[in-house]
Amino acid sequence: MKGRIFTFGCSLTHYHWHTWADIINFDLDNEFQNWGIAGIGNVSILHKMLECDLKHKFNSNDIILVNWSSWHREDRISIEGGWEWMCGGNIFNNPTFDKSFIDKYWNEHNDIVKNTSAIIMANKMFNINFQSHMVDFDNYIDVSDDYKYLFDNLPNTVIFDITNNSKFNNKTWDAHPDVICHLNHVSTVYNSLDLTINPATVDHFNKLQEYIVTELTDTDINMSWDEKCKFFIELLGRNSTF
């Protein structure tokens, strides 16, 4: 397959352990850039795609892959983060936005319009080769018939399937998809692109999953969030095999 590969999304695309994007980078020889940022929403993803295009000039050979994020996110540029996107995730468990902000500014209609518009604009602006979704937007359709014109123009729903995610979550604090779940998602991406994953890649990431799980059995999972994040960074960084 020719062309550069660009991936976009939230923590389901870039996280402490290897995601579907990292597995594709491992499996293929293409020039690769992962623009995923943990915690960002779909408006941010649209803007990151535009930034990437302006800096790297997408062409017809490029492969653009996106996993759209959840819809309850507040996308803003923050001066405290060095003029970067605030990446706090869901507004309802994001310490940046208190109850008074949510009561005053949040509503489901705003979520619908800004998320559907971001996804539709991205599809009109860029030749996206594959896209999936963290949430099923069909759950929002009954809110108002006024938005039918938006839902009618969304791409087909391909939900990031986390049904095979129990093995890892039973051993950690974290609800994010495990390595095997990401490996399964790569199969979904490849089916759309008419590609076949290298068996050596499958073997490699199966072993990585077992390595992480084995390490965790001897680790205090009651560590603080920062300690847990540091643990995974050090865990994967200190083992040159992975």
Side-chain angles (χ1 to χ4, degrees), residues 153-187:
N153 284 279
L154 285 172
N156 292 333
T157 307
V158 178
I159 304 299
F160 194 110
D161 184 6
I162 62 171
T163 56
N164 296 316
N165 199 36
S166 60
K167 180 176 180 181
F168 195 62
N169 282 345
N170 285 342
K171 296 180 180 296
T172 76
W173 84 102
D174 201 290
H176 284 80
D178 61 11
V179 174
I180 298 302
C181 192
H182 282 287
L183 191 61
N184 292 335
H185 186 67
V186 171
S187 296

Side-chain angles (χ1 to χ4, degrees), residues 9-12 15 37-45 69-76 85-98 101-102 106 111 114-115 134-135 176 225:
C10 58
S11 56
L12 268 67
Y15 202 54
I37 302 176
I40 67 170
N42 292 325
V43 173
S44 304
I45 292 173
S69 186
S70 60
W71 287 22
H72 298 327
R73 302 196 177 196
E74 186 70 21
D75 297 309
R76 293 169 178 264
W85 288 99
M86 298 170 66
C87 303
N90 191 314
I91 192 173
F92 295 107
N93 54 27
N94 182 340
T96 303
F97 304 103
D98 58 19
F101 178 94
I102 294 172
W106 178 85
D111 276 358
K114 73 178 184 181
N115 283 280
M134 184 175 171
V135 297
H176 284 80
W225 175 266

Side-chain angles (χ1 to χ4, degrees), residues 120-170:
I120 292 168
M121 281 189 280
N123 278 269
K124 286 185 174 293
M125 293 169 64
F126 309 113
N127 179 31
I128 301 175
N129 299 86
F130 176 86
Q131 55 197 309
S132 53
H133 301 264
M134 184 175 171
V135 297
D136 188 349
F137 49 71
D138 286 344
N139 296 332
Y140 294 87
I141 291 177
D142 294 334
V143 173
S144 174
D145 289 338
D146 293 339
Y147 306 124
K148 186 176 185 300
Y149 74 100
L150 290 169
F151 285 105
D152 286 347
N153 284 279
L154 285 172
N156 292 333
T157 307
V158 178
I159 304 299
F160 194 110
D161 184 6
I162 62 171
T163 56
N164 296 316
N165 199 36
S166 60
K167 180 176 180 181
F168 195 62
N169 282 345
N170 285 342

Side-chain angles (χ1 to χ4, degrees), residues 73-84:
R73 302 196 177 196
E74 186 70 21
D75 297 309
R76 293 169 178 264
I77 294 288
S78 171
I79 185 173
E80 294 180 0
W83 301 110
E84 292 292 337

Side-chain angles (χ1 to χ4, degrees), residues 1 3 9 43-44 59 64 82 84 110 123 156 174 196 207 239:
M1 183 175 65
V43 173
S44 304
N59 61 64
I64 300 173
E84 292 292 337
N110 182 61
N123 278 269
N156 292 333
D174 201 290
T196 301
K207 289 179 179 177
N239 190 320

